[in-house]
Amino acid sequence: MQLASCHCAELTRIIGGQFAAPAQFPHQVSLQLKGRHTCGGSLISENFIVTAAHCTIGQSPSQMRAIVGTNDLGAGNGQTLDIAQLIIHPQYNPQSQDFDMSLIRLATPAKLGAAVQTIQLAAADANYAADTLATISGFGAINQNLQLPNRLKYAQVQLWSRDFCNAQNIPGLTDRMVCAGHPSGQVSSCQGDSGGPLTVDGKLFGVVSWGFGCGAKGRPAMYTYVGALRSWIKQNANV
């Protein structure tokens, strides 16, 4: 089995699922590189976004912007924020996607309101039973032709238990990863959703990391497990 080769700015958009209503996901971020959506992210404080390391590695803050407070990138109604600093997890491994997490420090604070809110982080020991429903959201591709919708989509996926989601079944899986997906493979994150949120009970539980193509039957997508990196987030973002 091969890990999805990740230049994951091309990596992850929601396949299946539904279009989000305005202010339904007020923590959702669109990360833009030279004016084009490349990845998702989650607003965790007025000053910090959490995303995937593969979304920021090799990038310069001056070339990137964050857009918050919109469910339609074509509408021009969100806040566009400059980025002061990219903080990539020091143990991030681009080959294995282990420790695939990055913090983004904004140059000016996001203005909170109905359409822009922070999301709480799952606790360090957060754990859920298999088949717990989680929500993924993103501006990513909506089909395997990688067509981008401009509109925010979301879907529900099931968390996979460690009985299946382990290094025996999925070579390369580590304790910093959780699996979620839909047994049919018809609902999944895809190109452009990378770095975006996987939420359970309204808290950020995972960050879209890697997968086996979009919506492959019987294959989950991998998410960076927020709980495992909770202390690193606290140390660097004070959240």
Side-chain angles (χ1 to χ4, degrees):
M1 185 214 83
Q2 193 174 336
L3 294 186
S5 65
C6 242
H7 275 278
C8 299
E10 289 91 53
L11 231 177
T12 1
R13 298 169 189 274
I14 306 286
I15 307 253
Q18 301 153 65
F19 287 109
Q24 187 176 355
F25 296 97
H27 54 273
Q28 179 78 43
V29 177
S30 164
L31 293 179
Q32 309 235 327
L33 189 58
K34 300 178 184 167
R36 288 194 60 215
H37 171 84
T38 56
C39 273
S42 302
L43 191 67
I44 59 166
S45 76
E46 291 172 14
N47 297 300
F48 278 95
I49 290 163
V50 69
T51 186
H54 74 249
C55 288
T56 59
I57 194 122
Q59 304 299 350
S60 140
S62 62
Q63 301 285 301
M64 294 182 84
R65 302 278 181 281
I67 295 180
V68 295
T70 186
N71 67 330
D72 183 348
L73 295 175
N77 60 349
Q79 295 174 38
T80 302
L81 302 165
D82 287 341
I83 289 168
Q85 186 185 14
L86 305 173
I87 307 169
I88 294 169
H89 197 288
Q91 287 165 275
Y92 171 58
N93 181 327
Q95 273 65 54
S96 66
Q97 297 304 323
D98 201 5
F99 293 94
D100 187 12
M101 186 176 278
S102 198
L103 289 165
I104 293 176
R105 187 164 64 80
L106 296 168
T108 49
K111 295 182 187 72
L112 303 184
V116 180
Q117 289 292 328
T118 60
I119 187 167
Q120 268 189 294
L121 298 165
D125 57 356
N127 214 342
Y128 294 95
D131 301 333
T132 296
L133 282 181
T135 303
I136 51 175
S137 54
F139 292 99
I142 51 174
N143 54 37
Q144 280 156 336
N145 305 327
L146 306 188
Q147 184 189 347
L148 290 188
N150 261 348
R151 288 171 64 200
L152 183 62
K153 289 194 83 179
Y154 71 99
Q156 293 210 299
V157 292
Q158 290 161 295
L159 299 182
W160 292 31
S161 79
R162 287 287 182 201
D163 297 343
F164 179 84
C165 176
N166 58 46
Q168 279 71 49
N169 287 321
I170 302 174
L173 193 87
T174 73
D175 292 345
R176 269 75 54 194
M177 301 172 191
V178 288
C179 310
H182 195 273
S184 69
Q186 296 306 298
V187 177
S188 163
S189 40
C190 181
Q191 271 69 7
D193 292 321
S194 271
L198 170 84
T199 64
V200 183
D201 297 336
K203 293 185 177 171
L204 187 66
F205 184 67
V207 170
V208 179
S209 181
W210 59 276
F212 303 92
C214 308
K217 189 168 174 58
R219 288 291 200 184
M222 304 304 152
Y223 298 82
T224 306
Y225 173 37
V226 169
L229 301 181
R230 187 68 192 83
S231 59
W232 179 78
I233 297 171
K234 175 83 178 152
Q235 198 182 326
N236 288 278
N238 201 25
V239 177

